[in-house]
Amino acid sequence: QVQPVESGGGLVQPGGSLQLSCVAHGTIFSASNVAWYRQAHGNARELIAVIVSSGITNYADSVKGRFTISRDNTNNTISLQMNSLTTEDTAVYYCNLRHQGHDYWGQGTQVTVSS
């Protein structure tokens, strides 16, 4: 299996932007479907963005138009560009790789939106 590693989280003011990255080394990466999830304290983990191996993307309504997911298979990197952030976006963000029914999770990176 492979262990994804997220980075880029931190503190940002409302209306600001932040870019998260997920790196996962391994031969399965280019064939994997990749998703970003988030989990606010006390809430369920929420699927917010998906990019399948073909490149097709899908977004949750809560982030549509503000977040963009992309992948770079050459560098085994998934990015999540987050714009127009609000306090409701505060959560731990997780990268998930799915390959042949198996899930590989990162440890998460904290995003805090506050003035």
Side-chain angles (χ1 to χ4, degrees):
Q1 65 179 26
V2 63
Q3 176 66 57
V5 178
E6 304 97 336
S7 63
L11 176 65
V12 64
Q13 293 184 333
S17 298
L18 204 62
Q19 186 177 49
L20 306 182
S21 296
C22 172
V23 178
H25 300 290
T27 58
I28 70 169
F29 185 87
S30 62
S32 299
N33 297 333
V34 183
W36 283 96
Y37 289 75
R38 68 185 182 187
Q39 186 168 21
H41 183 69
N43 292 345
R45 189 167 296 186
E46 175 191 17
L47 175 63
I48 59 172
V50 177
I51 184 165
V52 300
S53 58
S54 66
I56 297 175
T57 60
N58 286 285
Y59 300 92
D61 289 340
S62 58
V63 306
K64 190 174 299 181
R66 299 188 299 121
F67 291 10
T68 302
I69 187 172
S70 61
R71 67 190 302 161
D72 181 351
N73 290 334
T74 300
N75 295 307
N76 292 343
T77 301
I78 301 294
S79 296
L80 184 69
Q81 178 65 47
M82 306 185 296
N83 299 323
S84 301
L85 289 165
T86 75
T87 57
E88 297 298 316
D89 297 314
T90 296
V92 178
Y93 285 71
Y94 298 90
C95 178
N96 171 267
L97 276 67
R98 175 165 289 182
H99 181 68
Q100 296 183 342
H102 296 273
D103 288 329
Y104 304 92
W105 291 93
Q107 294 300 305
T109 184
Q110 176 71 49
V111 173
T112 301
V113 184
S114 176
S115 59

